[in-house]
């Protein structure tokens, strides 16, 4: 198919609707989300399939799923829609006097421990640059940078970066957090294996700390006794304080959140408790001028 003919047959509204159907699972919910009449949404997708001479969906009683060629179109639709959003933001911000816009994704450790001060120092020197920061698990950071949803990312260096350029950013230390009346509270250091008879409070399932502590438990022939999953370090500390079990956190996060709650931290003897964070990009040379400024700043600090 000639690309000029393809340009005439694709439109942004249909691509956005395609994405909505994929995310919502049914055309009805997708139409409601996009505020399009169901009949109009159905006709728009039917026309798209007919104009491209392909079948985008497999329809069944449980909902709508994408065909393999539909998945391919969705991949490019996400990139196109992200670029359009970026154009809208960049142009709008320029009209308001902002000279640049950088999209970042980072894991929760980087956001809690290091980025507030690092980004504040950057904005002091570049007050007309706007930085958008989203929290994602490390694997999600890599996915976001690969798909063009973020210009820069910060993740655990142990994460599979899938071909991205990864350079060292910071290091942190993981500790076990507990109530002062816990049986291990008098120990300044301990091995993670010594905690495996206790309940644990875990971060969300895709977080590096959750995956790493589960792997450490398996290496000792045990399953991690996760009593509850919570979304962030503050929630871990509150649940530990309430007696739900032990938690594993970066030391600096404990100092900021756990210590004020009266909790105790013990250093871990395990090698994996010493952790590195990496700054990831697709390609330094392809970064926008303002994204390159932030990239260089984060390397410097």
């Amino acid at each position: 198919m000639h690309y000029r003919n393809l340009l005439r047959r694709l439109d942004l509204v249909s691509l956005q609707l395609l994405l909505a159907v994929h995310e919502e699972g049914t055309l009805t919910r997708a139409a409601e989300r996009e505020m399009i009449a169901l009949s109009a949404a159905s006709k728009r997708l039917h026309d798209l399939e007919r104009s491209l001479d392909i079948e985008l969906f497999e329809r069944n009683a449980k909902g709508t799923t994408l065909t393999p060629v539909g998945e391919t179109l969705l991949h490019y639709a996400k990139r196109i829609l992200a670029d359009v959003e970026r154009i809208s933001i960049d142009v709008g911000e320029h009209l308001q006097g902002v000279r640049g816009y950088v999209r970042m994704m980072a894991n929760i450790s980087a956001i809690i421990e290091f980025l507030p001060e690092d980004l504040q120092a950057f904005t002091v020197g570049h007050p007309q640059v706007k930085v958008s920061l989203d929290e994602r698990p490390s694997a999600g950071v890599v996915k976001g940078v690969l798909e063009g949803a973020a210009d820069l990312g910060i993740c655990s260096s142990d994460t599979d970066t899938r071909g991205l350029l990864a350079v060292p950013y910071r290091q942190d230390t993981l500790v076990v957090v507990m109530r002062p009346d816990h049986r291990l509270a008098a120990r300044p250091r301990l091995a993670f294996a010594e905690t495996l008879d206790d309940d644990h409070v875990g971060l969300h399932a895709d977080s590096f700390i959750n995956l790493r502590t589960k792997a450490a438990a398996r290496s000792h022939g045990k399953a991690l006794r996760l009593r509850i999953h919570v979304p962030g370090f503050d929630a871990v500390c509150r649940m530990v304080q309430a007696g739900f079990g032990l938690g594993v956190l970066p030391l600096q996060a404990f100092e900021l959140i756990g210590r004020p709650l009266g909790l105790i931290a013990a250093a871990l003897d395990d090698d994996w408790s010493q952790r590195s964070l990496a700054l990831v990009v697709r390609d330094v040379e392809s970064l926008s001028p303002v994204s390159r400024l932030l990239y260089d700043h984060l390397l410097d600090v």
Side-chain angles (χ1 to χ4, degrees), residues 30-258:
E32 291 175 353
R33 187 177 100 176
E34 298 303 315
M35 294 181 290
I36 301 174
L38 180 60
S39 58
S42 178
K43 183 178 185 304
R44 181 174 285 277
L45 291 179
H46 176 72
D47 290 346
L48 179 61
E49 288 181 311
R50 187 175 60 181
S51 66
L52 298 178
D53 195 25
I54 57 176
E55 288 192 11
L56 296 173
F57 302 101
E58 295 176 354
R59 299 167 177 87
N60 52 56
K62 295 182 179 180
T64 304
T65 57
L66 288 170
T67 63
V69 70
E71 292 279 2
T72 299
L73 182 58
L74 177 68
H75 170 75
Y76 289 104
K78 287 179 178 179
R79 294 174 61 177
I80 292 168
L81 293 169
D83 285 341
V84 170
E85 182 180 7
R86 186 175 183 181
I87 290 170
S88 173
I89 292 170
D90 285 351
V91 172
E93 298 289 359
H94 275 286
L95 292 175
Q96 297 173 30
V98 176
R99 294 180 182 172
Y101 184 85
V102 185
R103 300 165 305 160
M104 280 194 72
M105 290 183 181
N107 64 8
I108 190 171
S109 298
I111 291 175
I112 293 292
E113 295 182 271
F114 307 116
L115 280 174
E117 290 75 21
D118 290 350
L119 291 180
Q120 194 276 337
F122 177 77
T123 56
V124 167
H126 306 281
Q128 291 182 298
V129 175
K130 182 176 180 180
V131 179
S132 169
L133 175 62
D134 287 331
E135 187 267 322
R136 295 284 190 278
S138 288
V141 171
V142 170
K143 184 174 184 289
V145 175
L146 275 172
E147 295 182 350
D151 308 303
L152 311 174
I154 297 175
C155 61
S156 170
S157 61
D158 289 347
T159 306
D160 179 6
T161 55
R162 298 163 59 184
L164 293 176
L165 174 66
V167 294
Y169 169 57
R170 294 292 189 103
Q171 291 187 319
D172 66 4
T173 300
L174 300 179
V175 296
V176 177
V177 178
M178 65 198 83
R179 288 164 50 111
D181 59 355
H182 192 273
R183 63 183 179 83
L184 298 172
R187 299 275 302 279
R189 303 188 63 86
L190 51 86
F192 185 69
E194 297 178 78
T195 73
L196 295 180
D197 291 332
D198 292 90
D199 289 335
H200 280 248
V201 177
L203 285 167
H204 50 82
D206 293 330
S207 70
F208 169 85
I209 292 176
N210 180 66
L211 295 173
R212 194 65 193 83
T213 51
K214 280 186 172 181
R218 286 196 301 271
S219 72
H220 293 284
K222 294 188 176 183
L224 190 63
R225 292 173 49 176
L226 278 173
R227 189 170 179 186
I228 190 170
H229 278 288
V230 293
F233 294 152
D234 52 347
V236 170
C237 291
R238 285 288 290 118
M239 290 298 176
V240 172
Q241 184 188 41
F244 280 88
L246 305 174
V248 175
L249 300 178
L251 175 60
Q252 192 161 331
F254 164 75
E255 295 292 349
L256 291 170
I257 303 169

